Amino acid sequence: MAIVASRVGQSVERVEDNALLTGRARFLDDMPVRADTVHAAVVRSSHAHAEVLAIDVSAALAHPGVVGVLTGTDAIRWSKPFVVGVKQPMEHWCLAVDKVRYVGEPVAVVLAEDRYIAEDAAELVLVTYKPLAAVLDLCAAIAPGAPILHHKVGSNVVSERHFSYGDVESAFAIADHIVDLSVRYPRNSCTPIEAMAVVAEYQSQDGSYDVLSNFQGPFALHPVMALALQIPGGKLRMRSPAFSGGSFGVKQSVFPYVVAMALASRKVGRPVKWVEDRLEHLEAATSASGRMSKISAAVRADGVVLALDLEQHDDCGGYLRAPEPASLYRMHGNLSGAYGVKNIRVVNRVVMTNKTPSGLNRGFGGPQLYFAIERLMQKISKHLKIDHLDIIRRNLVPAGAFPYRTPSGGLLDSGDYPEAVRRAIEDGGYSGLIDRRDKARAEGRLYGIGLTAVVEPSVSNMGYITTALTAAERAKAGPKNGAHATATVALDPLGTVLVNTASVPQGQGQATVLQQVVADVFGLPTTAVVVNLEFDTQKDPWSIAAGNYSSRFAAAVAGAALEAASRLKDQLIEIAAHIFNVDKSQIVFADGIVCAANKQNTELPFSRLAALSHWSPGTLPKGVRPALRETVFWSMPQHTAPDEADRINSSGVYGFIFDYCGVEIDRTTGRLTIDKYVTMHDAGRILHPAMVDGQIQGAFANAVGATLYEEFQYAPDGGFLSGTFADYMVPTACEVPDTLILHMETPSPFTPLGSKGVGEGNCMSTPVCLANAVADALGTEDINLPLTPCRLLSLVGDDEPEPAEKQMSHKDAAMAGDLTGEGDLKVPLGRSDLWRALLDPTILATVIPGCHQLHQVGVHDYQAEVTLGVGPVRGRFNVSITLSDLKEPHTLVLTGRAEGPLGISKGRGQVFLEDLPNGTRLRYCYGVDVSGKLAAVGGRMLDGAAKILIRQFFQRLITTIGAKAEKGSVFTRVLDRLRRLG
Amino acid sequence: MKPAPFDYVSAETVDEAVAVLAAEGDEARLLAGGQSLIAMLNMRLIKPSTIIDVSRVDGLNKITSTEAGLRVGAATTQRSLLDLPQLEQYYPLLSKALPWVGHFQTRSRGTVCGSIAHADPSSELPLCLALLNGSVELRSDRGHRKLEADAFQTGMLQTACAADEMIESVTFPAADKNSGYAFHEFGYRHGDFAIVAVAAVVDKGRVRIAVGGMTDRPEVREFRRDDTDLDSSGWLDDVLNDLAWTLHGSDDQHATSRYRRDLVRGLGRQAVKEADACRV
């Protein structure tokens, strides 16, 4: 009898790929919907912070093909605010009800026969705002007098907790060195290729909602949605298709739209479909939290860290949206990283700013934490003049210490960190890298080496989020812990094995691994195992931990499938032992056959044995349950709730990563080239080597983006600037080098397969590893991401050559704004004539570019309807203009504000008139802010566009007041000046 | 990301296209490769009443060698120009610049004349046309006219093309046998809009440089070289530093004006040196 080799551990062909490569995979937008489905377009705020005074939907409703408009009024009537993870009087509704708190916040949903009509009508919804001062920066948000986002809270700090483990004070008192560092981590996201999508249907017969979406979990958000909709959980049916175009955690943030579209369906009595577009996604879907950290270490002379003192401020955006503030707490059990440091103090503050709310994102909390710890370790090495590798080695959790309890309560399950480092140094060619650095430096090149060691937590303990509450608050709410993984294995009458899990994969290849695991259990070929990963909360077994997050598949879900298959196999063994009349220990499953090892002629095809419970349950031995279907809910005992002292084992298993790299920075362009990148992983037992390497390479690519290219950027007034992939710079295959991936396998004693998560590690390790290399190359400590060539060249710090002639500059410091400029021109007209012209509304109407009508509404106040644009890019705007600070005939200030579907622009300009021998010199300076769509997608061109419009204004001024431009002088001079401002 | 309603006309002849243009004027836009137009349509940055598709006009995708140089028809894709045999020999600048235009996928659709018409300030082909002093042939139902590159692109996304006119072709003068050509560009990612692009042509007596990405249109400057050694008493560095400061550059979310000036100095030097080395 042939023994079938184990499939687990082999890189078997992915079962998903055939459908993906032949275009037969169905993504959410491909799913059939009811014929009467209406399509939604979302009206979003162009303001970062404003009161919503009124919403006029009449023009939109009158538009042919429009079925209805949902606003905050409906949200108040039919729903409740989402529950929040901290005890604060904050309200977050699915649509803005009183205030908007970030650019892109949903304000209304327009429902129409198709999406095109819905978009047409969305431009007709008139929202009246009262703009408020916005606060974007973390420091500004916590400063006294900052604009407050949530007034009932009274502060932008909505959660603050202090933790202390061990004896931090004594450690700092006896330390030979104290080394400290302040770092920032930017806001970015992993941007899946398929954006979010929802089809929602209100069922008026029983008041329930049926929702098909690409929500990926965690299904702890299911109660959040059901409570918001004010229905029992069972009346919110959430379904997900088998295929998804990626998520990286990001699609968790579809949940407010699930509620909004559910209400929209209720409003119009028809199913509603909404597919998020790229601009919506980048602007308003979600972001990793930004972080500002201060960290200091008490260090012994030999480089051993005795204590860490950490203060973290997390930028969670305009609303604290579940599961936030989890970004701060997911890593709480492993605050000491890969190190044996015994004493830790940490202060966590959750801060609101006028930006998109934060949420799950590959690496979740890890990149931010390790950027602080691992940059500090590099600084310790420089400060103590001890090799960085030695600093790491001297601090690692020692071999043989596992399972190792961290000071903050984490239980590191398995590993041999020093051995993994040793192998990586040897097998990765570390000494060769040192040689390359020495050689490059001898040639005057900028070359640096970075290192980092981290633990990669996976299988989150659902209870960790409650660490944000005090022990007393937790006691009141009842303990929370655990994280059930759910898997079902069934047999059909012909012997096919069916597998379902509550996992909602996002393209990883989970069906392939489930086939491997289950086929091995039954000794079957993988083709005998059919996996269906569609998910339906009304029909499939699940727990609140269901879903695709925290790298839980290999460790938890695949393990649950193994246990379900094993239970079913145990029943088959009982039946087979009865049939063959042998002891159960003798039953063997192999090659599609079941037999007794010690008895001749006992072979039975697996299909025959599997069929028995279907066809002839009466023949089963007494007390044996039919072998039809087994569902396993797997959880781990190590997942305990936070204890009295706030210790929490925040994850179930912890992998180890040790990375190092060599980078070079080009002195001419500032471009960083990754010369070599080595990444060593111990993620326990490897189930599918190619997929593990794929996860590592994928997380590395995301991390290269976070480190070198990607950041959600905002203008000072809160306008969003990264609305396309031209401005939000995700690296392409050309920008992501190959890595040398090394493995070590120390199986986890806590998981059924010995495996651990591996999907997020490089998102945590790579940014700081590359940053350490840059710090090494440039000898600088102040490293801010993303390390764009522009930023790197400024870190290189060469002085700029002086211009041969002193450049003209009379920028008026008073002109604040994103876009500032100035200019002047000679007008062959007396000063008082020019002054009168400037104050004449008829002239004003002709000089404002594209002015349709101008109404004087006050002595010096005007309102106009204006078509503004540059080249073919044009839009109609409502403009208000005020002239002020008039000092006849010397100077006046012109304040303007334009609002339209393309966005909002506010500007302020000052005009100075000076006598010249044959005319007047008109000098002006201006500052303009632009937000909304134009800023989000056209940031690269805004400065030029502002200049063009202002130039148009003054050019027309010249023509209109009848002054002939002095040939070859004024006109060209004006143009030249303006151009030079460039 | 759904366009506002528009009428679509697939023109079969240039006459038909200009007739529709004459009727619709400013409210119509021409579609050739659509690599900029479609994105702007979808984002509703533009809302034309009519789209006139000229990509199927017979003969409009021709590349012809004329006395004035290489005449490229309005429907010619960037890729077919790049694939032209012996391009490297007769039009070395185009051969060096075209691989920087977008990505190979977009070059298969995007047209040469479309790039010129779009007039993006950091675009490669307008820069080449400006450096080579090429020309643009415009057509309307009023007739033909020809504009030199410098007169054609008037600013950011702005050209001298009247509302009823379309580009029928552009002409790139052939390389001068005694000159060397180079094109250098820097963007953060492969295929990105250039932060700064520099094209240079160098012969015995002059250095001509075109810079994109610094102002609202390509800037061309020509310098007499008195010495065979470009670096004699720092001549080239001084020229480039003056150029950098004159153009100044603007600040945006990706790069500072200082960085742009650094690139003019750095890439400019690389481009001029390379062009000089390519000289026969």
Side-chain angles (χ1 to χ4, degrees):
Chain A
M1 190 177 66
I3 299 296
V4 180
S6 164
R7 272 84 171 184
V8 169
Q10 306 294 314
S11 294
V12 304
E13 195 173 294
R14 279 167 43 112
V15 68
E16 293 88 350
D17 290 350
N18 189 305
L20 288 169
L21 296 174
T22 56
R24 278 182 294 107
R26 291 279 187 91
F27 298 93
L28 206 116
D29 195 26
D30 307 320
M31 305 301 270
V33 293
R34 253 175 53 176
D36 60 342
T37 299
V38 297
H39 297 263
V42 179
V43 178
R44 296 173 182 277
S45 171
S46 294
H47 292 270
H49 197 190
E51 281 177 38
V52 179
L53 300 180
I55 303 176
D56 179 359
V57 300
S58 53
L61 280 175
H63 192 72
V66 172
V67 178
V69 180
L70 186 83
T71 66
T73 313
D74 302 303
I76 292 169
R77 179 160 34 135
W78 287 325
S79 72
K80 289 203 299 194
F82 298 111
V83 293
V84 194
V86 299
K87 305 284 175 222
Q88 288 288 7
M90 289 188 285
E91 288 190 357
H92 176 206
W93 300 77
C94 65
L95 293 175
V97 300
D98 53 350
K99 255 173 104 173
V100 287
R101 293 178 174 88
Y102 61 98
V103 166
E105 180 169 355
V107 174
V109 180
V110 177
L111 304 150
E113 298 296 343
D114 66 39
R115 177 68 177 262
Y116 294 89
I117 298 171
E119 298 272 355
D120 295 343
E123 295 186 358
L124 302 174
V125 174
L126 286 177
V127 186
T128 312
Y129 295 101
K130 181 184 168 200
L132 303 168
V135 60
L136 281 299
D137 181 68
L138 263 174
C139 278
I142 57 176
I148 301 292
L149 273 77
H150 297 272
H151 266 282
K152 286 181 190 162
V153 182
S155 161
N156 291 323
V157 179
V158 298
S159 167
E160 172 167 342
R161 286 229 61 202
H162 296 247
F163 304 91
S164 188
Y165 305 100
D167 187 351
V168 176
E169 264 168 46
S170 302
F172 273 87
I174 61 160
D176 298 310
H177 304 273
I178 292 172
V179 185
D180 58 10
L181 185 71
S182 292
V183 296
R184 290 237 182 179
Y185 198 86
R187 285 165 63 96
N188 52 36
S189 168
C190 287
T191 59
I193 194 164
E194 177 201 37
M196 309 192 294
V198 177
V199 182
E201 184 180 352
Y202 176 64
Q203 323 242 27
S204 58
Q205 70 275 18
D206 63 356
S208 69
Y209 295 94
D210 187 344
V211 177
L212 176 67
S213 74
N214 51 16
F215 177 67
Q216 53 149 88
F219 280 76
L221 294 172
H222 185 275
V224 173
M225 291 181 268
L227 289 169
L229 288 166
Q230 307 188 85
I231 50 171
K235 287 196 170 179
L236 173 59
R237 181 181 188 185
M238 292 283 292
R239 293 179 291 127
S240 324
F243 284 98
S244 163
S247 172
F248 316 107
V250 166
K251 283 176 183 159
Q252 159 256 327
S253 52
V254 76
F255 82 85
Y257 295 97
V258 167
V259 172
M261 298 308 150
L263 298 182
S265 171
R266 179 167 180 174
K267 177 135 194 180
V268 298
R270 289 164 64 175
V272 171
K273 178 173 177 177
W274 172 72
V275 179
E276 181 185 54
D277 69 30
R278 184 60 61 191
L279 173 57
E280 292 182 286
H281 185 82
L282 290 171
E283 181 173 75
T286 191
S287 161
S289 68
R291 179 92 44 104
M292 179 169 76
S293 307
K294 279 185 195 160
I295 185 167
S296 59
V299 190
R300 218 162 57 191
D302 61 357
V304 169
V305 176
L306 303 173
L308 286 174
D309 193 353
L310 180 61
E311 185 185 18
Q312 308 187 97
H313 287 91
D314 226 22
D315 178 353
C316 288
Y319 296 93
L320 196 64
R321 192 173 59 182
E324 292 287 37
S327 292
L328 274 171
Y329 292 95
R330 184 208 185 179
M331 309 299 283
H332 201 82
N334 49 284
L335 281 172
S336 40
Y339 306 121
V341 53
K342 296 275 183 281
N343 309 293
I344 301 178
R345 186 160 55 202
V346 60
V347 177
N348 287 339
R349 293 194 186 91
V350 179
V351 184
M352 300 282 96
T353 62
N354 290 111
K355 289 184 280 201
T356 301
S358 59
L360 297 187
N361 193 59
R362 195 174 196 175
F364 198 51
Q368 295 92 329
L369 174 72
Y370 290 130
F371 200 76
I373 295 179
E374 293 297 300
R375 285 285 303 115
L376 183 70
M377 296 303 273
Q378 195 262 356
K379 186 174 173 184
I380 290 171
S381 120
K382 294 286 172 205
H383 189 80
L384 273 63
K385 298 190 170 55
I386 299 175
D387 189 76
H388 189 183
L389 180 59
D390 288 330
I391 293 285
I392 289 174
R393 282 172 169 148
R394 286 172 200 180
N395 282 288
L396 289 173
V397 173
F402 295 90
Y404 171 83
R405 183 68 73 178
T406 71
S408 51
L411 187 61
L412 307 184
D413 52 318
S414 69
D416 184 342
Y417 301 175
E419 173 62 11
V421 169
R422 191 193 66 75
R423 286 193 202 175
I425 291 299
E426 210 160 276
D427 300 347
Y430 183 71
S431 61
L433 201 60
I434 302 277
D435 294 343
R436 287 176 72 81
R437 175 174 68 180
D438 293 346
K439 184 167 173 288
R441 286 186 174 172
E443 293 166 4
R445 285 146 56 199
L446 299 167
Y447 193 106
I449 290 177
L451 300 99
T452 191
V454 308
V455 298
E456 176 180 4
S458 54
V459 192
S460 285
N461 176 354
M462 296 305 280
Y464 79 73
I465 299 160
T466 61
T467 318
L469 305 174
T470 62
E473 286 169 332
R474 289 196 300 265
K476 210 172 145 194
K480 292 199 171 61
N481 66 290
H484 274 118
T486 314
T488 299
V489 179
L491 298 174
D492 88 344
L494 297 176
T496 318
V497 184
L498 296 159
V499 183
N500 314 118
T501 64
S503 182
V504 203
Q506 308 287 306
Q508 296 94 336
Q510 297 185 2
T512 302
V513 175
L514 290 167
Q515 272 194 337
Q516 288 177 286
V517 169
V518 173
D520 271 2
V521 170
F522 295 112
L524 292 170
T526 50
T527 49
V529 180
V530 172
V531 181
N532 183 335
L533 299 177
E534 289 170 3
F535 185 61
D536 181 338
T537 57
Q538 276 187 348
K539 295 169 78 178
D540 294 316
W542 59 284
S543 82
I544 56 158
N548 191 230
Y549 61 97
S550 78
S551 300
R552 66 199 308 276
F553 172 75
V557 179
L562 173 75
E563 301 222 329
S566 301
R567 274 195 210 169
L568 206 53
K569 183 183 181 185
D570 287 345
Q571 291 160 38
L572 289 172
I573 288 172
E574 288 214 39
I575 298 166
H578 175 75
I579 294 170
F580 299 150
N581 197 20
V582 297
D583 187 77
K584 285 190 283 191
S585 64
Q586 295 300 315
I587 303 298
V588 176
F589 288 66
D591 263 353
I593 300 290
V594 184
C595 62
N598 60 349
K599 198 169 173 183
Q600 293 292 307
N601 302 322
T602 57
E603 288 192 4
L604 199 60
F606 176 84
S607 54
R608 187 75 189 273
L609 182 65
L612 264 176
S613 300
H614 281 280
W615 298 111
S616 35
T619 66
L620 296 182
K622 222 175 165 193
V624 172
R625 288 197 300 132
L628 291 170
R629 183 185 189 93
E630 282 296 328
T631 295
V632 162
F633 288 89
W634 178 85
S635 193
M636 41 200 312
Q638 295 82 8
H639 269 168
T640 48
D643 69 9
E644 282 285 305
D646 290 318
R647 281 181 299 240
I648 174 69
N649 183 25
S650 41
S651 294
V653 284
Y654 301 83
F656 175 71
I657 302 175
F658 174 67
D659 287 358
Y660 58 88
C661 65
V663 307
E664 182 167 355
I665 297 152
D666 181 64
R667 282 187 190 274
T668 304
T669 62
R671 164 114 59 210
L672 180 148
T673 306
I674 299 172
D675 183 36
K676 179 166 187 168
Y677 198 99
V678 179
T679 183
M680 159 59 92
H681 286 251
D682 185 349
R685 186 173 171 210
I686 292 173
L687 305 181
H688 191 294
M691 280 194 214
V692 166
D693 285 358
Q695 287 291 336
I696 291 168
Q697 188 66 28
F700 177 75
N702 283 141
V704 166
T707 312
L708 304 181
Y709 299 97
E710 300 175 28
E711 181 177 16
F712 287 133
Q713 295 201 62
Y714 291 85
D717 68 340
F720 182 70
L721 299 175
S722 311
T724 72
F725 279 146
D727 287 321
Y728 186 78
M729 300 210 196
V730 177
T732 71
C734 303
E735 282 77 44
V736 182
D738 281 336
T739 53
L740 175 62
I741 301 171
L742 302 171
H743 297 287
M744 195 168 115
E745 289 185 69
T746 313
S748 171
F750 299 160
T751 64
L753 287 153
S755 46
K756 311 183 186 191
V758 74
E760 301 175 83
N762 286 84
C763 286
M764 306 179 190
S765 62
T766 297
V768 68
C769 188
L770 290 171
N772 283 345
V774 169
D776 183 49
L778 303 180
T780 177
E781 171 185 309
D782 191 19
I783 307 280
N784 284 304
L785 306 187
L787 289 161
T788 60
C790 177
R791 188 170 272 165
L792 281 166
L793 206 59
S794 77
L795 286 176
V796 171
D798 293 338
D799 288 333
E800 179 167 23
E802 292 285 321
E805 286 172 45
K806 194 80 187 143
Q807 295 289 306
M808 180 188 66
S809 179
H810 37 232
K811 273 200 178 173
D812 193 321
M815 286 305 135
D818 304 348
L819 315 164
T820 56
E822 75 242 300
D824 68 304
L825 51 116
K826 239 195 297 181
V827 185
L829 203 70
R831 188 149 63 140
S832 42
D833 292 339
L834 185 55
W835 179 264
R836 273 195 300 279
L838 281 172
L839 297 192
D840 183 339
T842 53
I843 290 181
L844 201 58
T846 44
V847 300
I848 295 172
C851 184
H852 303 291
Q853 353 168 265
L854 182 104
H855 304 290
Q856 191 160 10
V857 292
V859 184
H860 295 301
D861 299 307
Y862 305 93
Q863 281 194 341
E865 237 184 77
V866 172
T867 297
L868 288 174
V870 172
V873 180
R874 264 169 283 174
R876 220 172 160 97
F877 291 83
N878 290 311
V879 176
S880 48
I881 297 164
T882 299
L883 304 180
S884 62
D885 304 287
L886 285 86
K887 293 196 185 89
E888 187 178 358
H890 304 286
T891 178
L892 61 83
V893 170
L894 210 146
T895 315
R897 185 186 156 74
E899 200 160 345
L902 286 179
I904 299 167
S905 172
K906 354 185 236 287
R908 190 166 180 276
Q910 188 159 13
V911 176
F912 306 90
L913 304 183
E914 292 156 25
D915 282 328
L916 284 178
N918 351 313
T920 308
R921 179 174 185 228
L922 186 154
R923 189 160 67 77
Y924 61 92
C925 53
Y926 63 89
V928 182
D929 284 313
V930 180
S931 67
K933 192 196 280 181
L934 218 45
V937 305
R940 192 171 62 91
M941 305 238 183
L942 284 182
D943 193 48
K947 285 192 175 71
I948 288 172
L949 294 175
I950 291 186
R951 189 161 72 204
Q952 277 175 16
F953 180 87
F954 285 106
Q955 277 170 11
R956 282 161 193 250
L957 187 72
I958 297 173
T959 353
T960 312
I961 61 183
K964 269 196 181 159
E966 289 170 43
K967 234 184 177 178
S969 152
V970 171
F971 194 68
T972 39
R973 192 165 148 230
V974 170
L975 285 184
D976 274 347
R977 280 285 158 72
L978 286 164
R979 234 172 252 150
R980 208 172 303 152
L981 299 173
Chain B
M1 294 217 186
K2 298 282 180 284
F6 58 84
D7 290 333
Y8 172 84
V9 177
S10 180
E12 282 175 20
T13 61
V14 173
D15 286 341
E16 187 190 346
V18 295
V20 180
L21 261 183
E24 300 289 328
D26 206 17
E27 295 298 309
R29 294 299 294 175
L30 289 165
L31 169 69
Q35 295 306 296
S36 302
L37 184 79
I38 299 291
M40 294 201 300
L41 267 181
N42 284 348
M43 288 191 275
R44 294 184 178 226
L45 293 175
I46 56 171
K47 294 181 183 176
S49 66
T50 307
I51 293 287
I52 307 167
D53 186 345
V54 294
S55 65
R56 292 181 185 81
V57 171
D58 202 27
L60 213 49
N61 62 352
K62 278 207 185 116
I63 304 175
T64 353
S65 197
T66 69
E67 252 178 50
L70 200 63
R71 187 172 181 274
V72 182
T76 308
T77 63
Q78 294 143 5
R79 181 187 164 166
S80 47
L81 180 57
L82 185 55
D83 287 349
L84 197 70
Q86 294 180 299
L87 186 73
E88 198 181 338
Q89 192 183 340
Y90 296 107
Y91 297 91
L93 183 68
L94 292 177
S95 162
K96 288 177 177 181
L98 275 164
W100 290 96
V101 178
H103 302 262
F104 76 85
Q105 295 92 336
T106 64
R107 290 195 294 271
S108 298
R109 278 270 181 197
T111 61
V112 174
C113 291
S115 280
I116 304 287
H118 184 53
D120 187 301
S122 53
S123 191
E124 295 82 5
L125 289 169
L127 195 66
C128 293
L129 198 72
L131 182 80
L132 299 175
N133 213 358
S135 60
V136 180
E137 290 83 33
L138 296 168
R139 176 75 186 279
S140 69
D141 70 349
R142 295 176 284 130
H144 293 262
R145 66 174 175 141
K146 192 171 195 169
L147 288 176
E148 294 207 334
D150 183 51
F152 179 74
Q153 185 165 352
T154 55
M156 185 176 75
L157 308 184
Q158 291 176 315
T159 70
C161 187
D164 64 344
E165 283 180 316
M166 66 173 273
I167 297 181
E168 193 170 16
S169 66
V170 296
T171 300
F172 294 96
D176 168 40
K177 282 200 199 95
N178 300 315
S179 298
Y181 296 83
F183 187 93
H184 283 239
E185 165 172 328
F186 191 81
Y188 285 175
R189 297 169 304 177
H190 176 81
D192 266 352
F193 293 106
I195 290 177
V196 166
V198 180
V201 53
V202 175
D203 65 23
K204 223 167 78 185
R206 61 166 193 154
V207 171
R208 189 172 153 91
I209 305 172
V211 181
M214 289 296 280
T215 65
D216 58 355
R217 57 174 219 155
E219 298 280 358
V220 184
R221 298 288 190 280
E222 197 170 307
F223 306 93
R224 280 174 55 88
R225 55 185 291 197
D226 301 324
D227 204 300
T228 43
D229 181 6
L230 291 166
D231 284 323
S232 165
S233 39
W235 181 81
L236 180 58
D237 286 339
D238 286 348
V239 160
L240 291 167
N241 187 41
D242 273 358
L243 179 58
W245 277 107
T246 308
L247 303 178
H248 199 273
S250 57
D251 295 303
D252 67 18
Q253 76 234 59
H254 299 305
T256 58
S257 58
R258 155 76 201 267
Y259 181 66
R260 289 188 160 88
R261 291 192 294 274
D262 282 336
L263 289 179
V264 171
R265 287 182 284 259
L267 298 185
R269 182 176 177 78
Q270 290 169 5
V272 172
K273 294 293 270 186
E274 182 190 312
D276 195 38
C278 291
R279 212 146 57 80
V280 188

